[in-house]
Amino acid sequence: MKIAVMPGDGIGTEVVAQALKVLRIVAPHAETQEAPIGEAGIQAHGVPLPAPTLELARKADAILFGSVGVADEADIPRERRPGTGLLQLREALTLYANFRPAYMFPELIGASTLRPEVVDGLDLVIVRELNGDAYFGQPRGFETNQAGERVGFNTMRYSESEVERVARAAFECARRRSRKVCSVDKANVLEASQLWREVVTRVGPDYPDVELSHLFVDAAAMMLMRRPKQFDVIVTGNLFGDILSDAAAMLTGSIGMLPSASLGYNRKGLYEPVHGSAPDIAGKDIANPLAAILSLAMMLRESFEMEDAARRVEQAVRAVLAAGYRTADIHQEGMRSVGTRDMGDAVVEALRKQAA
Ligand code: NAD
């Protein structure tokens, strides 16, 4: 088990440290090596994805990632933005499918802003395409129009093969769940989406045991708030997936609870919490480390086929929630307030109790 550890910036370093404590318990033989990325990469080597970091990622079986980003990035040129390091890494390793489960822990039902009956039992996965769309499409840039006004532009672009591979990833995922895929696009307005829908519809019959439906992204956003439990697997493009997955995150109460896995053609994956580097709370020992710890559980399951160890970690997280441990983002009246490190220690303790 060779794991490249990339804590990144801000709370990334704090939450990854907790996930590593958990790793030491459930997979003490795992080899880990750390490398800087994002602002940490810029500080160490002058670029957001330094060559030694990419090299380490290529050699590793899996990557445990924190988050990248600093406050006030508006004036930083794109090639020197911390987030560019992550985009480059996803592209270099062809990690094209991002799995973002949104699961309602029964213990946290009061932390959601939605009514309990709307979110009770919520269990969905958003499969977001990661290598295409307006995030990578060319041409992009700024120009000046005939009126002398500046214009910014991007290209939303998808090829058939890009859509097909992520659609297949979503159908396969649905086969391990409730066998429903909802493909989300904006085919009534955008050509890239029209092609998306055609390809997903063409791939669908290869999975006759999976029910396929389609929604426009505006309707999907509404349905996610209104009746989120109707969804099993949602598959969508990079841009729509970015937005919908954060909305789905909030259904469950806090972005600090949600893990993700980015996978490509083999079992090598990049595992990271859905949240960013949260400069507003960085360095204060108040970030919720559970999303990072649950990302580790996804790694054990997906990259190393260690289903038992993955379940142990998930059960330990359930146990600490049931015991009333809460970081500030999921705090509820009468619960036990803890910081990042103490939450990590509580999960470790719960794992030790399982073994006893
Ligand atoms: P963010 O996810 O960092 O924070 C959004 C809000 O959620 C903040 O109020 C933050 O305090 C809170 N929050 C996030 N994670 C939390 C946790 N674990 N526990 C408790 N509260 C938590 O998003 P943002 O503020 O839009 O972005 C901050 C920086 O992170 C930016 O530089 C952005 O580009 C970057 N970012 C990186 C990634 C990534 O590395 N994959 C993802 C999103 C944003």
Side-chain angles (χ1 to χ4, degrees):
M1 288 177 78
K2 284 201 179 66
I3 302 174
V5 179
M6 302 184 189
D9 309 317
I11 64 167
T13 57
E14 300 170 52
V15 297
V16 165
Q18 309 315 310
L20 285 176
K21 286 186 200 165
V22 170
L23 178 71
R24 300 275 166 258
I25 304 286
V26 291
H29 56 288
E31 276 176 44
T32 57
Q33 201 178 329
E34 206 171 304
I37 191 163
E39 180 62 18
I42 294 170
Q43 296 298 329
H45 299 275
V47 286
L49 177 61
T53 300
L54 178 57
E55 178 68 14
L56 179 69
R58 287 197 195 281
K59 285 190 188 145
D61 302 317
I63 300 150
L64 183 62
F65 192 93
S67 52
V68 286
V70 290
D72 302 327
E73 292 178 359
D75 295 331
I76 308 175
R78 196 161 51 84
E79 64 282 2
R80 281 184 59 86
R81 281 200 197 142
T84 299
L86 177 57
L87 291 177
Q88 288 170 340
L89 186 61
R90 287 171 178 166
E91 197 183 18
L93 301 180
T94 327
L95 301 171
Y96 59 81
N98 183 219
F99 295 82
R100 295 182 165 203
Y103 170 79
M104 189 75 234
F105 284 91
E107 296 81 6
L108 291 183
I109 223 146
S112 175
T113 47
L114 272 79
R115 288 199 307 271
E117 66 269 26
V118 178
V119 289
D120 185 14
L122 175 85
D123 180 5
L124 61 87
V125 176
I126 297 190
V127 182
R128 167 187 169 195
E129 199 287 329
L130 268 196
N131 287 174
D133 211 340
Y135 290 24
F136 292 95
Q138 295 289 343
R140 64 187 292 163
F142 299 96
E143 62 187 19
T144 306
N145 69 12
Q146 284 176 340
E149 197 185 3
R150 286 181 76 227
V151 175
F153 61 97
N154 294 84
T155 306
M156 181 178 270
R157 181 183 285 271
Y158 267 119
S159 68
E160 290 179 301
S161 59
E162 282 174 326
V163 180
E164 180 171 340
R165 66 188 182 182
V166 74
R168 290 194 183 281
F171 281 112
E172 297 290 345
C173 175
R175 278 190 163 161
R176 298 193 298 269
R177 299 174 42 92
S178 302
R179 297 175 184 266
K180 287 200 295 180
V181 168
C182 177
S183 172
V184 172
D185 59 42
K186 190 71 183 165
N188 50 341
V189 179
L190 304 168
E191 280 75 7
S193 272
Q194 209 177 312
L195 181 110
W196 176 283
R197 189 175 285 218
E198 280 168 25
V199 174
V200 176
T201 304
R202 195 171 72 215
V203 171
D206 289 351
Y207 303 85
D209 51 326
V210 179
E211 180 192 318
L212 171 64
S213 60
H214 302 270
L215 272 181
F216 296 134
V217 63
D218 41 348
M222 199 177 72
M223 281 301 173
L224 260 183
M225 297 300 122
R226 202 167 147 207
R227 279 202 304 125
K229 285 190 276 183
Q230 71 182 280
F231 294 112
D232 178 26
V233 175
I234 293 175
V235 62
T236 188
N238 207 344
L239 175 61
F240 300 152
D242 195 355
I243 300 163
L244 291 181
S245 59
D246 269 27
M250 284 321 294
L251 295 173
T252 66
S254 171
I255 200 161
M257 290 299 302
L258 292 179
S260 83
S262 302
L263 298 164
Y265 290 108
N266 52 35
R267 297 205 83 88
K268 182 191 293 213
L270 182 149
Y271 300 85
E272 57 169 330
V274 165
H275 61 75
S277 58
D280 54 333
I281 59 166
K284 298 182 179 162
D285 191 43
I286 56 175
N288 186 345
L290 295 180
I293 291 171
L294 291 167
S295 300
L296 173 72
M298 287 186 90
M299 171 191 288
L300 295 169
R301 177 174 289 122
E302 303 296 336
S303 282
F304 299 111
E305 297 183 52
M306 293 171 66
E307 180 63 32
D308 286 352
R311 285 215 184 138
R312 278 186 67 199
V313 173
E314 288 161 354
Q315 278 162 8
V317 168
R318 290 285 302 271
V320 298
L321 292 173
Y325 290 88
R326 298 286 186 276
T327 41
D329 55 309
I330 50 173
H331 184 70
Q332 288 164 285
E333 222 28 59
M335 298 292 165
R336 188 167 166 180
S337 285
V338 287
T340 311
R341 282 192 294 266
D342 286 347
M343 186 61 115
D345 289 343
V347 175
V348 165
E349 198 45 43
L351 282 165
R352 290 216 170 98
K353 275 193 194 141
Q354 285 171 1

